[in-house]
Amino acid sequence: MRPARRVSEVIFLLQVHWILAGTASAATDSLSAQNTISAAPLAATPAGRAASDLAATTAPPWNPPSALPRRRMWERIVLLPQRIATLPLSAVGWAAEHALTAVEPYAYTIHRAAPGDTSQTRFRMAISPSRFDERTPFCGQIEARSTLLKGRADLVVAHTASTRHYHDTAVQLPGLLTFDYHYRWRPRDLFYGVGMRTFEDDVTTFGTGVHQGRAILAYAWNRESGGRPRSNLVGWIGPRTLVTRRGHEPGDPSIELGFPDVVSETLDRRLLHATYGVRMVRDWRVGTPHWGTGWRAVMETERFDVAKGVLAAGFSGARGAQFTRSTILLETGISFMHDPRSIRLLGRFVDTGLSGGRDRMAVIDLPSLGGDAGLGGFRPGRFHDLDLIHARFTYVFPLLQKVEAEMHVESGAVLGDLWHDFQIDRMEQSWGFSVRPRSRYQLLGSLGFDFSRESTRLRWMIGNPDP
Amino acid sequence: MRRLVRLGGRLVTVARVAWIGALFCIVAATARPATEAPKEREYSLLWDTVDNSFVRPVTRFFDEPLIGRKLTGHKREAANVDERDQVRLPSTWWQPRIGYKRVTVQQMLKGPGGTDGPAGRRWTVTSAKSAGVTPGFQIKDARGDRFLLKFDSPDHPELSSSSEVIGTLLFWAAGYNTPENTIVHFHPESLDVDPEATIKERLGQARSFTRERLAQLLSRVARRPDGTVRCVASRFLEGKPIGPFKYYGRRGDDPEDLVPHELRRELRGMWVFAAWTNHVDVRGPNSLDTWVTHGGRSFVRHHLIDFGSILGSSATAPRSLPAGTEYSVDNGVFLRQALTLGLVPFRWEGSVDPEIPSVGQIEAAKFDPRGWRPSDPNPAFDERTDRDVRWGARILAAFTDEHIRAAVGAAKHSDPRATEYISRVLIARRDALVKEWLGSAPAESAK
């Protein structure tokens, strides 16, 4: 108690001094003219003064008899409680000012350390926003690059790990034909059941481990001046094994407890697929700092088939469900006024054609809605089924030079069959807004809320939030 | 056992007496007048932005006396004015010139230094810096006077240097202390390198400066068709630099700084000249105090420096369109835009780019003589009253078209369109300010 009382005594005495310092010189506020030369406008002295005294004065300046307080005494008294209450904040401000003053002369070293073009860096470590799941805020990445075949090829090895123990290990040999291997471990994904008529309280959790090797052939054209291709076509082929595990989300039951039927044939069972697919992207969106006009279309189809012989490429596992997943995404936008206000419309359709092994369909292979996947007002993985329909209307408008706002409304549903089961009254809605800092040329991140009938969710992102 | 002593008829503990004594010692030490040069102080650019754009607006929002003053229309007036509402003189901040004395165009062009920049044809580089978009050199001329050479960005030749010179002359004529800035052209071969010269590299390390490094750095600056380099030669200010001043509070170690800066008429009224010249970067870090000794008397003189970011320039590029119409973080604009979903156009939307590279982005048509704002709130400007602004407007009204055209001409633009355009814009903005605040044409107001 005694030290606390000492501190309060000192604070009190300082405040008293602060007030009294005002009274001592308050009389000078009236500013009676003493030893003062007055600057008279030319109108008052028609002849003007000699031009020789245009130089800065060297005479002692006019000053009141004592220092003027910044505040009158009544103002000090009124502000006293506020000042006492905010003393800790004042201390933080004082520390921040002095720290920045000390650090700023060396700030250029920080600018130098900022990541630039890292495509040719031999070894790199980075901490960045997570690439796995919006519930894992940050991830760390280690990447090493080595030159092979007398400089004709680069071998890239990277490992990424996030705060919820999500991991991704990648080995890539880029080139005209890119060889790519990934091992992904996702221990805490959420599952609420299949279809739209599921309940928030039925949440379960599951883990997934995926090994995938692919040979990728890509072709890009319609390059804009900056080098970014407006059109590209990508094809790939390779084996994949997948295993569904018990979930590790604290507080939520594991999937085999909530939905034993869904995972009866897949839990802890390594499933093997031969995958091959093609994706075509046409992207004619333009505008800064956010894209305002144009359109983009993404068409993708991928077959998950029985892996035999060379297609297995040494991978082993039981036969999984055979299916073809087709995705179509269409987006367009218009903008108006000088600092662009933009209206965007996005539509996305996913159709899964199941041709065999329905009971061995892995949960991770089901399209889902919720979180970043669409319907942001619902938790990630809130809805799962074979097909999906999702629409989003977005309005973007500027708030300040370096800040803009985004508002959106989403509607979507997962379905057993997009073509036969679709009913508009089964679609769920979500809406939200975000504030997005921006530079003159690009977006730097976003922070906002999404709402749905189930929850209000804080959403944030570092980096360009527009895909 | 606690020891007690009698103080003012009351028994108090020795410890408490020690506490009170220590406190008064601290107060006495801080209030002691300085007998030597105040300590040089640094100023964080980032803190200046954080403080003025985020911290101060919040504290002002909860400032009951300020709110009371606003509601009752009793804002606090400047503290260093006399009964005729004029700045009490002498002042180490401001000197009455145009509007108070006859200042001819020739006198204005001579400005604070009265010379034409570095003397002689060969100059010696004494030090250099490589950080930033453009390098900078310190030189000695044939008389041994020291100058700082500042260059334009190669992408925007003449933009920053012309703003620097125009701003220097106009602010000096308005009464403020400024350095002597002159446009000079030189052949790179006319620079010698002092054997003792050093360069401060990007990462802060100092190295010896060589002729080869000089050639490297000059390859980063704009060249004229005849091979010469254009730059601003800024004469070193008289006295010892002791860091920038703040637009609020007092400098505790300057015994002659007894009026809080936000209560100074010269600083509050400077809003007029900042608005006129679009000096959106008017903040503490763009000022410099020097410790001057004259006739046995030493004192602090307060200067405005760095005018490279006024008019249509943002130092290395043209000004952004919103500059001058809103703060970088403008709560009012934010609220308006949020409530109207951005459907109300910004004031700057519809501004026209003059498309003259050495002018950048400035215009008179969209200029708001009442609502102009710097990039970050300025504490002295925030406290300004109509009387402060009218004080500045009366000085502004005394600037003739000839003064303005001569100041712009001193920038030595190679494109005559630039000279004409900036002159026209400054004349139009002067007229708008004078009409708004004095209610009459400049010629009449000046009488």
Side-chain angles (χ1 to χ4, degrees), chain A residues 13 35 52 79 165 208 227 339 397 413 417 453:
Chain A
L13 286 168
N35 304 320
S52 58
L79 287 171
H165 305 293
T208 312
D339 195 342
F397 61 95
D417 185 343
R453 63 177 174 80

Side-chain angles (χ1 to χ4, degrees), chain B residues 107-437:
Chain B
Q107 285 170 326
M108 180 191 72
L109 290 178
K110 282 187 175 179
T115 70
D116 294 326
R121 294 193 171 185
R122 296 203 72 82
W123 308 328
T124 305
V125 180
T126 57
S127 69
K129 63 136 184 121
S130 66
V133 176
T134 57
F137 300 130
Q138 289 184 18
I139 62 158
K140 269 188 187 173
D141 69 358
R143 286 190 297 256
D145 291 346
R146 292 196 300 159
F147 290 83
L148 182 67
L149 300 188
K150 298 197 268 189
F151 300 90
D152 287 305
S153 156
D155 297 332
H156 302 282
E158 301 184 8
L159 178 63
S160 169
S161 58
S162 56
S163 300
E164 184 91 46
V165 169
I166 297 168
T168 301
L169 295 177
L170 295 180
F171 275 84
W172 180 84
Y176 297 93
N177 301 321
T178 65
E180 177 194 339
N181 290 327
T182 321
I183 296 287
V184 293
H185 302 97
F186 67 91
H187 275 283
E189 295 74 35
S190 65
L191 289 183
D192 297 320
V193 177
D194 189 311
E196 305 285 311
T198 56
I199 179 169
K200 195 172 183 184
E201 298 286 8
R202 284 181 190 277
L203 292 174
Q205 71 275 36
R207 291 184 179 152
S208 76
F209 190 54
T210 61
R211 180 109 217 143
E212 291 71 35
R213 192 80 179 95
L214 172 68
Q216 275 178 4
L217 293 182
L218 285 177
S219 69
R220 280 167 42 194
V221 305
R223 294 272 183 115
R224 304 205 312 160
D226 62 358
T228 57
V229 175
R230 171 193 160 106
C231 68
V232 173
S234 183
R235 183 187 290 276
F236 272 52
L237 289 167
E238 180 189 5
K240 177 191 170 193
I242 53 172
F245 63 76
K246 294 183 177 181
Y247 281 83
Y248 63 91
R250 298 183 298 108
R251 187 164 186 143
D253 52 3
D254 176 8
E256 293 184 343
D257 189 6
L258 301 185
V259 179
H261 301 169
E262 72 272 25
L263 298 180
R264 284 197 163 273
R265 164 60 57 80
E266 312 93 306
L267 296 184
R268 290 164 160 228
M270 195 201 298
W271 177 87
V272 173
F273 308 105
W276 179 38
T277 57
N278 203 32
H279 191 353
V280 297
D281 212 17
V282 56
R283 54 193 193 142
N286 286 332
S287 67
L288 186 65
D289 288 346
T290 57
W291 181 248
V292 179
T293 301
H294 239 285
R297 194 181 97 77
S298 294
F299 60 98
V300 177
R301 182 179 286 158
H302 312 276
H303 303 83
L304 304 179
I305 61 169
D306 283 345
F307 297 99
S309 298
I310 71 166
L311 300 172
S313 165
S314 69
T316 57
R319 271 270 160 238
S320 65
L321 289 169
T325 64
E326 61 189 45
Y327 299 129
S328 303
V329 182
D330 197 312
N331 300 326
V333 173
F334 184 93
L335 199 62
R336 187 193 67 202
Q337 291 298 109
L339 291 177
T340 61
L341 302 183
L343 293 174
V344 174
F346 289 103
R347 282 222 323 265
W348 54 266
E349 286 185 297
S351 296
V352 179
D353 183 348
E355 296 184 353
I356 306 172
S358 52
V359 168
Q361 176 61 48
I362 185 173
E363 64 169 8
K366 290 276 176 182
F367 174 58
D368 178 0
R370 191 165 280 269
W372 179 90
R373 291 176 170 193
S375 289
D376 296 319
N378 178 304
F381 292 178
D382 287 347
E383 299 299 327
R384 74 183 187 275
T385 63
D386 287 0
R387 282 167 57 184
D388 300 317
V389 179
R390 288 199 188 99
W391 171 85
R394 282 188 202 101
I395 297 173
L396 179 61
F399 276 87
T400 64
D401 291 3
E402 288 68 38
H403 282 110
I404 294 169
R405 289 187 183 281
V408 177
K412 298 179 183 171
H413 288 103
S414 58
D415 185 347
R417 291 179 307 154
T419 309
E420 178 58 26
Y421 181 84
I422 295 175
S423 300
R424 275 197 286 113
V425 165
L426 284 173
I427 290 168
R429 289 169 77 112
R430 175 204 61 188
D431 292 351
L433 277 162
V434 171
K435 189 175 179 189
E436 178 70 30
W437 291 99

Side-chain angles (χ1 to χ4, degrees), chain A residues 6 9 17 31 37-40 42 51 53-54 62-63 68 70-71 75 82 97 104 108 339 341 395, chain B residues 16 19 45-46 62-63 69 76 79 82 88-90 97 99 107 202 204 256 258 262 341-342 349:
Chain A
R6 289 270 157 77
E9 279 177 4
H17 166 72
L31 292 172
I37 303 168
S38 180
L42 270 180
D53 54 353
L54 294 177
W62 172 86
N63 262 314
L68 293 184
R70 295 186 66 193
R71 297 284 195 167
E75 292 176 306
Q82 195 185 98
E97 179 180 4
E104 202 164 86
Y108 43 81
D339 195 342
R341 284 76 163 167
Y395 174 53
Chain B
R16 180 165 298 187
W19 270 107
L45 281 164
L46 186 55
F62 293 105
D63 190 322
R69 283 181 181 280
R76 195 169 177 188
D82 60 18
R88 291 177 184 272
L89 295 175
R97 294 188 183 113
Q107 285 170 326
R202 284 181 190 277
E256 293 184 343
L258 301 185
E262 72 272 25
L341 302 183
E349 286 185 297

Side-chain angles (χ1 to χ4, degrees), chain A residues 165-178:
Chain A
H165 305 293
Y166 283 64
H167 290 270
D168 182 1
T169 305
V171 180
Q172 197 174 55
L173 197 64
L176 188 62
L177 183 66
T178 296

Side-chain angles (χ1 to χ4, degrees), chain A residues 263-332:
Chain A
V263 292
S264 60
E265 295 295 318
T266 56
L267 190 69
D268 295 331
R269 192 168 191 179
R270 189 169 298 281
L271 303 174
L272 174 63
H273 285 105
T275 66
Y276 44 92
V278 62
R279 179 172 65 242
M280 182 171 178
V281 179
R282 302 293 307 275
D283 188 350
W284 292 89
R285 297 173 298 171
V286 291
T288 55
H290 63 254
W291 73 269
T293 57
W295 57 272
R296 72 169 168 145
V298 180
M299 282 163 278
E300 179 182 311
T301 184
E302 185 171 21
R303 176 69 184 167
F304 295 78
D305 216 334
V306 177
K308 290 179 185 169
V310 70
L311 283 179
F315 285 58
S316 64
R319 179 180 291 192
Q322 298 103 58
F323 61 95
T324 302
R325 185 166 57 212
S326 301
T327 304
I328 295 176
L329 183 151
L330 300 168
E331 187 172 25
T332 186

